[in-house]
Amino acid sequence: MRNVTGRRQSRARTSLPALVALLLVASPAWGSDWKWEFTAPTPFFLDRSYVFGSPSHIRRVGAPYSPAPLLFEAQVAPNLFFPQLHTGHFRHKAGEWFLSAVLTPSIHLRLLNTPSAPVIPPSYIPKATFQVAHLRMLPGPKGNVRSRRGLMLAANLIVGHYSNGQDGCFFSNQARENGACTPPSEQGELPLNELTGSFSTNFLRGELHALGALTVDPDLDSAWLVGGGSFLELNTAVGPGGIANYQRRVYGDGNWGMSVVGERLWNQHRFQLELALSAPFGETPHRRATVSAEATALPYWGAGFGIFARYVHGQDYYNILFLERVNLWQFGLVFELSPGARLKVTDGEKDQDKRRPPGFR
């Protein structure tokens, strides 16, 4: 088993150079007329914010009411853009290129439906994303203007921190004495201290994304979209809050995953279905993969706000609960931030020239 894990880690580390692929493809554009965008950055393939309820239950070792009903959960993930660089135009042969730097102070919260309705230790996931993205229109069959197509490619390099803000011992058989955990963490035994145990890691994550638009109507208001993405995440002990050896043994060396997405855009209303798979590697004991299916409706008048339903089966994604198995149904609201991001008017362009393909705005 360790040999298999070792091969996975080797492949994982050697796959990071794939993130520079778009940079190499974009090299002919480096000498182009790059411009700063200060007022209306264009967001692609970034975190959403969610607020939802669930009829499902959450299990925590040591909790008196476990498994407890989940009353409310939220993922607050505003995307804060630095000035964005872009060049070209999506209608031109070379397309349009974007270079973005984004800070996301992401926080996940859970409120349980038990006496006093406690908020269990949150997940803090602040991160910085560096993105190169490419957008272009593709000609339809034999130049048919009613069969226009569009393509978006992007690579994200993410540096982040993941913790729960607690200072308790990692394993439940430990007790803190004079500031230290006894027995030492290297001698700790499962189960984990899922109530107050400290969870902390730094991570480096690479993402590749692709999204295509098919049968784009002449007004760029309706289309079918299909695409997907993949990611590789490596835990690191570098820096404050980095992963400790005893935590790495149980949590693992990292995670990998992939997703597929299909979307119908109709008169600028969006209806989306996404399937995702993720799994850890380098962990002991071995944990199974997690799969999720999410359906989302984002009306045009919502300006980034919509409704969603999601099912998650596999391992819990909430900080130190990562050893718990979950079957979660989730229903609520989704927000794409920043919802007001639009291109500003450029002199000399007609209105139809300024509008991006549907799904790429």
Side-chain angles (χ1 to χ4, degrees):
M1 183 64 187
R2 295 305 300 175
N3 290 336
V4 174
T5 301
R7 289 195 294 270
R8 286 178 179 172
Q9 294 179 47
S10 177
R11 290 195 298 268
R13 293 189 175 96
T14 56
S15 64
L16 280 178
L19 286 173
V20 304
L22 276 181
L23 293 172
L24 296 177
V25 174
S27 57
W30 294 148
S32 303
D33 184 19
W34 286 89
K35 297 180 181 179
W36 289 103
E37 180 59 76
F38 299 104
T39 59
T42 304
F44 295 114
F45 306 117
L46 297 173
D47 285 357
R48 291 171 163 178
S49 292
Y50 293 89
V51 178
F52 58 89
S54 173
S56 305
H57 287 61
I58 300 299
R59 183 176 185 272
R60 294 192 300 158
V61 172
Y65 299 100
S66 179
L70 177 59
L71 179 64
F72 167 87
E73 186 168 338
Q75 173 180 307
V76 183
N79 296 303
L80 311 177
F81 278 80
F82 287 95
Q84 186 180 64
L85 270 171
H86 68 97
T87 187
H89 195 285
F90 74 90
R91 293 182 182 274
H92 297 167
K93 183 177 181 180
E96 189 170 2
W97 291 88
F98 304 84
L99 291 178
S100 305
V102 186
L103 293 180
T104 306
S106 180
I107 301 175
H108 298 190
L109 302 170
R110 275 182 180 170
L111 183 68
L112 300 182
N113 190 15
T114 60
S116 81
V119 175
I120 63 178
S123 292
Y124 302 98
I125 318 177
K127 56 188 177 181
T129 301
F130 305 93
Q131 181 185 86
V132 54
H134 178 60
L135 172 63
R136 63 182 301 178
M137 292 292 289
L138 301 175
K142 297 182 180 180
N144 185 349
V145 296
R146 295 187 178 276
S147 298
R148 296 176 180 176
R149 295 176 291 176
L151 177 66
M152 163 61 71
L153 301 173
N156 294 348
L157 179 63
I158 301 172
V159 179
H161 171 75
Y162 186 10
S163 65
N164 64 353
Q166 299 299 292
D167 62 357
C169 296
F170 189 63
F171 295 99
S172 61
N173 72 323
Q174 296 175 296
R176 189 171 292 279
E177 298 178 3
N178 300 321
C181 291
T182 304
S185 297
E186 289 73 12
Q187 301 175 16
E189 298 178 356
L190 296 177
L192 301 179
N193 175 9
E194 295 182 349
L195 300 183
T196 63
S198 174
F199 173 88
S200 181
T201 183
N202 295 327
F203 63 88
L204 180 67
R205 178 182 174 112
E207 299 178 348
L208 297 175
H209 299 274
L211 187 64
L214 308 173
T215 61
V216 180
D217 74 355
D219 294 329
L220 303 182
D221 285 336
S222 300
W224 290 93
L225 294 100
V226 63
S230 62
F231 78 86
L232 172 69
E233 184 175 292
L234 299 176
N235 297 313
T236 176
V238 176
I243 192 168
N245 288 335
Y246 61 85
Q247 181 177 319
R248 181 189 295 274
R249 184 177 78 244
V250 184
Y251 185 59
D253 293 320
N255 298 271
W256 65 271
M258 61 186 67
S259 63
V260 293
V261 60
E263 182 174 330
R264 173 57 173 165
L265 192 140
W266 175 71
N267 291 333
Q268 300 189 49
H269 304 294
R270 298 169 55 196
F271 305 92
Q272 186 179 86
L273 177 63
E274 182 175 7
L275 304 176
L277 166 72
S278 64
F281 59 89
E283 79 286 3
T284 302
H286 174 68
R287 304 197 310 276
R288 289 177 287 180
T290 298
V291 295
S292 66
E294 178 178 325
T296 307
L298 293 154
Y300 170 72
W301 45 261
F305 143 81
I307 58 175
F308 84 99
R310 179 168 56 197
Y311 174 68
V312 181
H313 173 78
Q315 302 295 146
D316 202 334
Y317 51 83
Y318 198 82
N319 59 72
I320 203 169
L321 303 185
F322 60 86
L323 290 181
E324 298 295 344
R325 300 289 294 173
V326 293
N327 291 282
L328 301 177
W329 287 97
Q330 303 168 343
F331 306 93
L333 306 180
V334 58
F335 303 85
E336 290 191 341
L337 302 177
S338 304
R342 299 289 187 273
L343 280 183
K344 65 180 180 181
V345 174
T346 301
D347 294 337
E349 284 189 326
K350 298 178 181 179
D351 183 66
Q352 65 264 28
D353 294 331
K354 295 193 289 287
R355 300 182 64 194
R356 289 218 170 85
F360 299 128
R361 295 171 183 164

